[in-house]
Amino acid sequence: YVTKDLGWLELSYPPSAAERVQSIIQDAEAVKVELSSHLGQPVLQKVTVRVAPTVADMARLAPQDAPPPDYASGVAYHGLHLVLLSMLAPHGGEAVDLDEVFRHELAHVALEDAVQGKHVPVWFNEGLAIYLSGELAVARTKTLWNATLSGTLIPLSELDRSFPRDNFEVSIAYAESADFMRFLTRKSDRLRFASMIERVKDGQP
């Protein structure tokens, strides 16, 4: 593995990934500034990011007692400021958009920093990461629409501590979370959102 130290970010990757991680290195500082702006707090003082060739390799880099979810091509570890990324998707073996997954997982770490480790619901955490990473919404909108028609929406109260393990249900959970966070983070509500983050940091559930 090659390691690049950007001061606040330590990025390790296989030599073969040098070209694919170049944009991450170039954009990292701008991503940090953007996350701080959205959350209204200084974030990301020190983060370790490791890029692995496959999901199996990513799992080997993970803490022994906390393997990545089966469906994940990236994972951020609460309390460790550690992000793991896989270059290949867990199913199908297609190449992962490393920039998008990097932004998604970094958003998790940034939120943890902003609220100083206070609890936020999983739907809030995941929905915000989807929004801040700029992931395309078309597929999630279709999932949300189909779940609405079929009566398979999941109450947000059931997504407070964890997401379902089933692939079908987890896609609905992500779609619901992304939709609600899109509403909460509207441009007109930017200051109110930052104020809410401040209150959570100070102990308000």
Side-chain angles (χ1 to χ4, degrees), residues 177-195:
S177 303
D179 188 62
F180 197 29
M181 292 310 297
R182 178 186 56 79
F183 167 73
L184 288 181
T185 51
R186 293 175 301 180
K187 188 174 181 180
S188 59
D189 284 337
R190 178 73 64 86
L191 292 178
R192 293 173 66 191
F193 185 79
S195 175

Side-chain angles (χ1 to χ4, degrees), residues 2 5 10 15 23 32 44 53-54 58 64 84 87-88 93-94 100 102 112 148 152 157 161 185 187 195 204:
V2 177
D5 189 347
E10 183 181 280
S23 55
K32 178 183 178 182
L44 305 174
T54 68
M58 182 174 72
Q64 215 167 24
L84 302 180
M87 296 169 64
L88 296 178
E94 67 269 18
E100 183 179 281
F102 170 74
E112 180 186 349
T148 302
T152 54
S157 59
R161 294 283 176 178
T185 51
K187 188 174 181 180
S195 175
Q204 179 178 313

Side-chain angles (χ1 to χ4, degrees), residues 25-201:
I25 295 171
Q26 290 173 349
D27 298 341
E29 192 62 38
V31 172
K32 178 183 178 182
V33 170
E34 182 183 351
L35 290 170
S36 294
S37 174
H38 276 289
L39 294 165
Q41 301 287 332
V43 296
L44 305 174
Q45 301 307 308
K46 192 67 178 177
V47 184
T48 299
V49 178
R50 296 173 181 159
V51 180
T54 68
V55 170
D57 294 313
M58 182 174 72
R60 282 191 282 272
L61 294 174
Q64 215 167 24
D65 59 343
D70 295 338
Y71 56 80
S73 54
V75 61
Y77 284 94
H78 184 83
L80 298 180
H81 285 73
L82 171 66
V83 169
L84 302 180
L85 308 176
S86 169
M87 296 169 64
L88 296 178
H91 304 293
E94 67 269 18
V96 165
D97 184 336
L98 284 179
D99 293 272
E100 183 179 281
V101 181
F102 170 74
R103 292 172 68 97
H104 181 111
E105 301 305 334
L106 211 62
H108 288 312
V109 181
L111 177 60
E112 180 186 349
D113 283 351
V115 299
Q116 295 184 357
K118 301 294 195 307
H119 172 71
V120 295
V122 172
W123 62 260
F124 186 103
N125 200 335
E126 291 295 345
L128 185 65
I130 291 169
Y131 168 72
L132 293 178
S133 63
E135 296 174 36
L136 296 176
V138 176
R140 299 195 193 282
T141 300
K142 183 179 179 182
T143 297
L144 190 63
W145 177 245
N146 289 339
T148 302
L149 292 178
S150 62
T152 54
L153 290 173
I154 304 169
L156 286 181
S157 59
E158 295 181 14
L159 304 176
D160 180 72
R161 294 283 176 178
S162 64
F163 270 10
R165 303 294 295 186
D166 175 78
N167 284 343
F168 173 72
E169 289 188 331
V170 81
S171 67
I172 296 173
Y174 272 108
E176 291 181 23
S177 303
D179 188 62
F180 197 29
M181 292 310 297
R182 178 186 56 79
F183 167 73
L184 288 181
T185 51
R186 293 175 301 180
K187 188 174 181 180
S188 59
D189 284 337
R190 178 73 64 86
L191 292 178
R192 293 173 66 191
F193 185 79
S195 175
M196 177 179 64
I197 294 295
E198 176 77 26
R199 293 196 304 274
V200 173
K201 183 190 75 170

